[in-house]
Amino acid sequence: MALISQRGNRPKTRPLTSPEDSVDDLALNQATQKGNVLRGVQQVHEPTACIEQLRRGLAGGHRRTSLKRLKTDVIDLFYQHRVDPNVPIEDVAGAVKDLIQQGKVKHFGLSEAGVQTIRRAHAVQPVAALQSEYSLWSREPEAEVLPTLEELGIGFVPFSPLGRGFLTGKITEDTKFDSTDFRTVVPRFTPENRKANQALVDLPGRIAEQKKATPAQIALAWLLAQKPWIVPIPGTTKLSRLDENNGSLAIKFTSDDLREIDSAASKITVQGDRYPERVLRMSGR
């Protein structure tokens, strides 16, 4: 289970007791020791990157340096973030297929891709994983994406499984975000929408009391209970949150528990889009 995302290209070799370590470094070292870090994962974040730039990037010094620090010589999973409408997905899949044949990459992944894009890419090079937003308050993938992934044998990697922190119960309508915080431009995080969406925090909170857990652990355990091929990736820089996230593995739901959660969640209408309009236009293509 991947419970912390790789951040940058930090060396991971210093001992945990090193005075040079920040809390961030300690969390990453702990996560590595517990098997929670995704090693050898490369992501193309610039959707307009052309195919030749992709090939050059994987052949260059940046790749070699990154892989050396990760102590591997191959990228295990190479994601495209996100689908570029100006480049046929078949060309992207073909380029990654070449890289796989050259031994530079093992597996191909997509992010926030729509069903038809997934099928078209998969026909050229099998897609190993799709990384998209999915949580108790972002359930769009359930209608078409999850059935397609199950049919094709593709793993699902939900990002923001804790609703960018909202499902932890630590954020209220009165919470003030720093001006640099991405949530300041997310419609779902306006004070009015946070207040309206409080019921989605109360739901895992009630179950957490019954299970002697935290709301965050309930939200993660719910995701893990959906399908065996779902691997959520909550990010954290704090050791306490890392341990809390790992605690979700011990929580088991009965079929009655899951029906109760789904029944209660179905009565809640989420207010506000999960992204600003300009970002939403890049999703589900």
Side-chain angles (χ1 to χ4, degrees):
M1 180 178 177
L3 291 175
I4 183 168
S5 298
Q6 191 76 22
R7 296 189 64 211
N9 297 315
R10 301 170 185 265
K12 313 302 183 301
T13 55
R14 294 200 305 274
L16 289 177
T17 54
S18 169
E20 307 157 42
D21 276 322
S22 66
V23 173
D24 197 5
D25 294 318
L26 289 169
L28 192 51
N29 275 307
Q30 283 273 27
T32 302
Q33 291 185 5
K34 295 178 180 180
N36 297 147
V37 171
L38 293 174
R39 284 185 173 276
V41 176
Q42 184 80 17
Q43 305 181 22
V44 179
H45 289 281
E46 178 52 60
T48 58
C50 71
I51 302 303
E52 286 309 311
Q53 286 175 324
L54 170 65
R55 291 193 174 100
R56 288 198 301 270
L58 284 181
H62 176 71
R63 169 187 175 271
R64 289 192 294 271
T65 301
S66 297
L67 294 182
K68 181 178 179 181
R69 287 176 171 172
L70 288 169
K71 297 183 179 179
T72 184
D73 57 2
V74 64
I75 294 170
D76 293 300
L77 178 57
F78 191 87
Y79 284 106
Q80 183 196 31
H81 283 227
R82 306 212 169 125
V83 177
D84 181 357
N86 299 314
V87 178
I89 195 62
E90 290 84 356
D91 291 354
V92 176
V96 178
K97 182 176 183 177
D98 291 344
L99 294 169
I100 290 173
Q101 291 173 344
Q102 295 166 21
K104 296 176 180 177
V105 170
K106 288 185 179 180
H107 302 287
F108 174 37
L110 294 171
S111 179
E112 294 274 277
V115 168
Q116 293 308 313
T117 297
I118 295 168
R119 290 187 180 280
R120 287 165 51 203
H122 195 73
V124 177
Q125 169 60 43
V127 177
L130 176 75
Q131 183 183 142
S132 296
E133 185 169 1
Y134 183 41
S135 69
L136 275 168
W137 82 336
S138 293
R139 301 182 65 170
E140 294 85 351
E142 292 176 346
E144 295 183 347
V145 170
L146 291 187
T148 299
L149 299 183
E150 188 159 36
E151 173 195 339
L152 299 177
I154 299 171
F156 189 44
V157 183
F159 68 78
S160 297
L162 299 177
R164 296 182 177 82
F166 190 71
L167 296 177
T168 66
K170 304 297 184 182
I171 297 173
T172 71
E173 62 178 300
D174 299 319
T175 299
K176 305 297 182 185
F177 296 117
D178 185 89
S179 61
T180 61
D181 194 310
F182 174 69
R183 290 170 291 189
T184 59
V185 299
V186 175
R188 198 166 289 184
F189 277 93
T190 64
E192 297 80 9
N193 285 336
R194 277 181 265 157
K195 181 178 180 179
N197 291 326
Q198 183 61 39
L200 270 167
V201 177
D202 296 339
L203 174 58
R206 289 195 302 271
I207 300 166
E209 291 181 5
Q210 300 170 12
K211 299 283 186 181
K212 294 181 172 52
T214 67
Q217 289 173 332
I218 295 301
L220 291 173
W222 176 83
L223 274 174
L224 291 168
Q226 300 309 299
K227 297 290 182 180
W229 37 268
I230 289 180
V231 183
I233 49 168
T236 185
T237 60
K238 297 180 175 64
L239 288 172
S240 61
R241 296 301 180 213
L242 174 63
D243 290 336
E244 179 182 356
N245 291 343
N246 277 334
S248 65
L249 295 167
I251 298 171
K252 305 300 178 185
F253 290 122
T254 66
S255 55
D256 287 341
D257 289 334
L258 293 173
R259 278 193 294 270
E260 178 186 349
I261 294 171
D262 283 341
S263 176
S266 68
K267 298 179 175 68
I268 302 170
T269 301
V270 179
Q271 301 298 316
D273 289 333
R274 65 188 182 93
Y275 276 129
E277 177 59 30
R278 62 181 175 78
V279 181
L280 275 179
R281 288 198 296 269
M282 298 171 62
S283 303
R285 288 174 169 163

